[in-house]
Amino acid sequence: MAKCVTLVLIFNLMAAVNGIGGSTDMGLLFVFGDSYADTGNHNKNDPHLARPWRAPYGETWPGEPAGRFSDGSVLTDFIAQYLNISSPLPYSEWTGNLNVNFSGINFAFGGSGVFDTFGSEFPNITVQIDQLNKILTSNDTWWKGRLANSSVLFVCSGNDYIALLNKTGGDKKLPFFIPSVVNQIVTDLSRLYDIGMRRFLVATLEPAGCLPSLTRSSNFSRCNQTYNVWSSFHNRLLVSELKTLQNRAGSQVKILDQFNSFQTVLSTASKHGFSENPLQPCCLAKIGATCGDIDSAGKALYTVCSSPERAFFWDGAHPTLAGWSAVCEQYKQVIAT
């Protein structure tokens, strides 16, 4: 049974990457955000950025590391499938070739946020939009008229908050920082509207307190409700502030409710084929290490479960291919309407 489930998930990922299936033609797709959406923008030759290019990432699909923070697909791949297009080209692979198979560009970069997070090598979303602008101005004629029929996938999964916590060593400033992050998200989206975009798919914050990096202290037995409350606060503000963008002429804003989608799948894990403890990641690193790390002798500082299709989380923060499949299944209707 597990092998059958794995084959189905791999077929779904192949469909997402190659544009098979789907029910809605939404033109090109432009992606901005972080590791939940990044499909290969990290530099595989930079040891500080090469994690998604190292084993065991990509072991379910395509069978080797592919620059995604998962064992297979990520959010972008499934959204592209639902839009009936191939997964957009990572910005790192952009050459200016606008061939017949061109479906958009993915600027998302794992570790990024709306503000600076972990260093200059992590382009914040303002910089990502600058990258788009540079491309658009290089060939105004080709792009003219195409942007309004294209879609924006905007994913901000909490790196700004992690960076703040790392900097301050505590969470007292977090509630006061959340409005600043939300305001910058809306500012970035408004800038994309001014560039010519009209269709927006905006992801809310996942239940951060359920990420394995925060549930490890309880042996992955329960979510940290304090962080979930803050995630909910972020999301309430975001949905409220997005009304301004929704009210602009021709704008279509659709919410991808990551918080409730994650919660729904986690609370009905067995229904979706996951193990009895869905908070435990498949790739479990030793304390102080991350999935994919090795020691000086080349020995892995992590273990990988035998059945990734039975795990919702892949590592300390990211879903597996199976996890993303279950979450994104709930977005089909949102995108189709």
Side-chain angles (χ1 to χ4, degrees):
M1 180 63 179
K3 290 183 178 180
C4 292
V5 172
T6 301
L7 288 172
V8 169
L9 291 172
I10 290 175
F11 175 80
N12 285 342
L13 177 55
M14 292 175 65
V17 172
N18 296 308
I20 302 170
S23 59
T24 308
D25 185 358
M26 296 277 281
L28 304 175
L29 177 62
F30 297 91
V31 185
F32 304 89
D34 51 38
S35 56
Y36 275 17
D38 188 351
T39 55
N41 280 320
H42 272 226
N43 184 352
K44 66 177 70 176
N45 297 315
D46 185 334
H48 298 292
L49 297 174
R51 181 157 68 105
W53 291 103
R54 293 198 298 259
Y57 288 86
E59 74 163 31
T60 300
W61 186 91
E64 61 183 6
R68 290 165 169 82
F69 287 80
S70 181
D71 63 318
S73 65
V74 294
L75 176 62
T76 299
D77 300 308
F78 287 102
I79 298 303
Q81 179 188 4
Y82 300 156
L83 296 177
N84 201 27
I85 59 175
S86 58
S87 200
L89 184 76
Y91 175 69
S92 62
E93 299 178 17
W94 168 253
T95 62
N97 184 16
L98 298 167
N99 61 39
V100 68
N101 295 318
F102 179 70
S103 62
I105 306 174
N106 186 347
F107 299 90
F109 196 98
S112 293
V114 293
F115 301 120
D116 292 336
T117 53
F118 311 116
S120 59
E121 64 268 40
F122 297 89
N124 63 42
I125 296 179
T126 296
V127 174
Q128 294 175 24
I129 298 173
D130 289 341
Q131 292 168 344
L132 169 64
N133 248 336
K134 185 176 180 180
I135 291 173
L136 297 181
T137 55
S138 68
N139 193 342
D140 287 338
T141 303
W142 193 91
W143 294 105
K144 188 176 181 179
R146 284 183 166 88
L147 297 183
N149 191 47
S150 298
S151 296
V152 168
L153 173 61
F154 195 103
V155 185
C156 184
S157 307
N159 287 315
D160 294 287
Y161 302 133
I162 296 172
L164 176 71
L165 293 172
N166 289 345
K167 182 179 180 180
T168 62
D171 52 23
K172 291 183 179 179
K173 293 185 178 181
L174 193 58
F176 306 99
F177 184 51
I178 290 173
S180 298
V181 172
V182 170
N183 287 338
Q184 187 59 44
I185 290 174
V186 176
T187 296
D188 289 338
L189 288 166
S190 296
R191 185 180 173 200
L192 289 167
Y193 177 94
D194 292 337
I195 287 173
M197 304 293 188
R198 293 295 181 268
R199 296 172 171 174
F200 302 92
L201 300 169
V202 184
T204 65
L205 195 62
E206 75 284 353
C210 295
L211 299 180
S213 58
L214 287 172
T215 63
R216 185 165 192 159
S217 60
S218 68
N219 197 28
F220 310 109
S221 64
R222 61 183 180 276
C223 298
N224 183 313
Q225 294 306 320
T226 298
Y227 285 92
N228 280 355
V229 167
W230 287 336
S231 293
S232 294
F233 177 43
H234 168 105
N235 293 336
R236 288 196 303 272
L237 280 179
L238 178 61
V239 171
S240 177
E241 293 301 318
L242 283 174
K243 292 176 182 177
T244 301
L245 178 63
Q246 180 68 69
N247 289 334
R248 297 187 71 174
S251 179
Q252 299 177 28
V253 180
K254 296 182 179 180
I255 304 296
L256 303 181
D257 190 349
Q258 298 272 79
F259 189 96
N260 284 314
S261 295
F262 272 56
Q263 289 275 55
T264 296
V265 175
L266 289 171
S267 64
T268 57
S270 61
K271 175 183 175 182
H272 296 277
F274 297 120
S275 66
E276 294 179 358
N277 188 3
L279 298 179
Q280 180 166 330
C282 178
C283 184
L284 181 60
K286 293 184 177 181
I287 299 293
T290 58
C291 180
D293 284 352
I294 57 175
D295 63 18
S296 58
K299 183 179 179 181
L301 297 175
Y302 59 89
T303 58
V304 180
C305 65
S306 59
S307 301
E309 74 278 1
R310 297 265 300 150
F312 177 81
F313 284 110
W314 171 245
D315 59 15
H318 308 95
T320 57
L321 185 160
W324 276 124
S325 179
V327 166
C328 291
E329 187 71 21
Q330 300 173 74
Y331 300 149
K332 280 185 176 180
Q333 190 62 34
V334 173
I335 294 171
T337 55

